[in-house]
Amino acid sequence: MSFLYFIVNDILGQASILIALIAMVGLIALKKSAGQVITGTLKTLLGFLVLLAGANIIVSALNFLGEVFQKGFNMRGVVTDVGSIAGIAQQTLGRETALIMVLAFLINILVARFTRFKYIFLTGQASLWMATVCSVVGYMGGLRGTELILLGGTIAGLMSVGMPAIAQPIVRKITGSDDIALGHFCTLGYIIQAGVAKLTGDASKSTEDLALPSAFSFLQDTYLSMMVVMIPIYLIPTIAAGPEVVAQYANGVSYLIYAFLQSVQFVVGVYVLLAGVRLLLAEIVPAFRGIALRIVPNAIPALDCPVLFPYAPNAVIVGFLSTTLGSIIGMFLFPGVGLAMILPGMLTNFFAGGTAGIFANAVGGRRGAVIGGIFHGLLITLLPALLLPLLGSYGLQNVTFSDADIISVGLIYGHILNFFQ
């Protein structure tokens, strides 16, 4: 069991090592020299870790923003927190969650090998969240032992292939090829936002083609325009929260200066993240051709959502802002019909909202990205509120998942199991 835990937690559970090993297998399958295999493997590892470093910078900046937002506007409610549920699951269902994750990966490989759906899901943390919801909901629904693992692993494995397949037509439109797929369990939200965008927008007017007067030509630079947007996003709630709230973060620095620097730090994180994406893709795509040729013919790597950010960086910001607006509307709207107040999760709003913005822009342009983003914000506020009573009946109070696909699996799986109890 300790060896299995090592494989799941320290190998499969570490997305950077998993992707580097898969790149190594691909390069070996291509019969590259030892030097080329080592170079490609290490560059893949480096690219992913640079991406992760950028993501961590963004997470830190957004955690601060979420805190001053809640304190500044006196918001009280439930914040989506998959980490809390995963921690509970690891304490009580660690073995089952690990085995579900392993079985899901094996089923993913088998489906990709023997069907026309060639997607290999490589987002380790998303795989863990899916395994977690399958183990928690399955256990609380009365399943135990082998049946819990087999059913949970089958559901998670099929989702690992099915969601990238659903997203791929729009991913192909975004990237212009089938070299990569999207491996992120927020796909339902992306597809819904894209559908709204297609109905309400105009694909010919892209977020990336905004024409600006010469005095504002500097805003054509993605990172400068991002700074202009993010500075007031940080300063307004910081002013509302006041210096006392910010003091615990600022370490003696003026609270306004600290908020200003955090807004710039957010942009730094995006810059680092996109640099990691470019380095990662330069290595993982050729390596995957080796896997396609030798192990899973025509395999397509399904990677985490930031791999799409370089294709439409303006759409990322539009999606983030419009999703945040929609989640704020939902925060006040849904308690009026008896649901819990779900506070806007800035991490989900940025990563999921930004990706949804790219999807919406691809089919509905900038107007579609804005209108679709508001609907997306409403959706990702409604779904956690719907799941909360189910988790509460299992004894998990004031905690809920955040990703649309994972919540959907939890709702459907949980209600089916309750029906047969």
Side-chain angles (χ1 to χ4, degrees):
M1 186 60 204
S2 60
F3 178 73
L4 177 62
Y5 181 84
F6 169 76
I7 294 295
V8 172
N9 187 67
D10 297 326
I11 303 298
L12 297 180
Q14 300 297 319
S16 57
I17 295 177
L18 175 61
I19 290 178
L21 289 175
I22 290 174
M24 181 182 70
V25 171
L27 293 168
I28 293 172
L30 284 172
K31 298 182 178 179
K32 298 291 185 180
S33 67
Q36 289 173 316
V37 171
I38 293 171
T39 299
T41 302
L42 293 181
K43 279 191 173 181
T44 300
L45 179 63
L46 178 63
F48 193 89
L49 290 177
V50 171
L51 183 159
L52 189 60
N56 287 337
I57 294 172
I58 294 170
V59 166
S60 177
L62 287 177
N63 282 338
F64 168 76
L65 178 60
E67 180 72 11
V68 294
F69 181 87
Q70 291 178 46
K71 296 289 179 61
F73 299 114
N74 196 30
M75 298 299 177
R76 295 292 181 269
V78 178
V79 179
T80 54
D81 185 7
V82 68
S84 296
I85 302 177
I88 295 170
Q90 289 302 315
Q91 292 175 9
T92 58
L93 294 167
R95 173 179 173 273
E96 290 80 359
T97 302
L99 291 173
I100 286 172
M101 188 173 173
V102 171
L103 179 59
F105 188 71
L106 294 175
I107 289 174
N108 184 177
I109 295 292
L110 289 173
V111 172
R113 177 65 181 84
F114 295 108
T115 74
R116 63 187 180 89
F117 301 107
K118 302 299 181 182
Y119 308 100
I120 308 294
F121 198 96
L122 295 178
T123 308
Q125 70 273 20
S127 299
L128 176 59
W129 305 151
M130 184 60 74
T132 298
V133 76
C134 289
S135 64
V136 169
V137 174
Y139 183 85
M140 299 304 181
L143 301 179
R144 298 291 185 273
T146 302
E147 61 180 3
L148 172 64
I149 295 165
L150 288 178
L151 190 54
T154 300
I155 292 171
L158 293 177
M159 289 292 290
S160 297
V161 178
M163 301 321 290
I166 291 172
Q168 192 60 17
I170 300 180
V171 172
R172 187 184 305 118
K173 187 177 182 66
I174 294 166
T175 65
S177 73
D178 278 319
D179 287 341
I180 60 170
L182 179 64
H184 196 224
F185 284 132
C186 296
T187 302
L188 177 64
Y190 305 154
I191 297 300
I192 289 176
Q193 175 160 346
V196 172
K198 190 168 185 177
L199 292 174
T200 61
D202 181 355
S204 67
K205 297 178 179 178
S206 172
T207 57
E208 312 310 301
D209 298 330
L210 291 171
L212 297 172
S214 58
F216 297 97
S217 60
F218 70 95
L219 293 177
Q220 297 287 2
D221 183 291
T222 297
Y223 301 105
L224 292 180
S225 63
M226 196 179 298
M227 285 177 64
V228 169
V229 170
M230 297 310 298
I231 288 170
I233 292 289
Y234 274 76
L235 286 179
I236 292 170
T238 297
I239 292 170
E244 294 81 9
V245 172
V246 181
Q248 61 183 308
Y249 298 94
N251 195 27
V253 177
S254 164
Y255 78 113
L256 293 178
I257 295 298
Y258 184 81
F260 169 77
L261 292 175
Q262 285 298 300
S263 70
V264 178
Q265 191 79 345
F266 174 89
V267 180
V268 171
V270 174
Y271 181 90
V272 174
L273 183 147
L274 295 182
V277 167
R278 287 188 285 269
L279 181 58
L280 174 65
L281 291 183
E283 300 301 327
I284 194 69
V285 171
F288 241 78
R289 292 196 182 102
I291 295 177
L293 290 171
R294 304 290 180 181
I295 302 171
V296 179
N298 302 313
I300 301 173
L303 303 171
D304 204 353
C305 62
V307 298
L308 298 182
F309 287 7
Y311 294 96
N314 291 343
V316 174
I317 299 303
V318 172
F320 167 47
L321 295 177
S322 57
T323 293
T324 299
L325 176 59
S327 64
I328 291 172
I329 294 171
M331 177 180 66
F332 293 109
L333 177 65
F334 296 129
V337 293
L339 296 173
M341 175 180 281
I342 303 296
L343 300 180
M346 292 301 175
L347 296 180
T348 301
N349 286 356
F350 176 71
F351 287 104
T355 308
I358 297 173
F359 270 61
N361 179 64
V363 298
R366 49 183 179 263
R367 185 171 70 236
V370 171
I371 298 173
I374 294 172
F375 274 83
H376 181 247
L378 290 169
L379 176 72
I380 65 173
T381 306
L382 174 63
L383 287 177
L386 292 175
L387 184 63
L388 193 62
L390 180 65
L391 294 176
S393 69
Y394 293 160
L396 299 174
Q397 300 294 331
N398 296 322
V399 65
T400 183
F401 285 94
S402 56
D403 296 355
D405 301 345
I406 291 172
I407 295 174
S408 299
V409 166
L411 284 169
I412 296 170
Y413 191 26
H415 286 301
I416 289 175
L417 291 175
N418 284 345
F419 178 78
F420 286 105
Q421 279 187 338

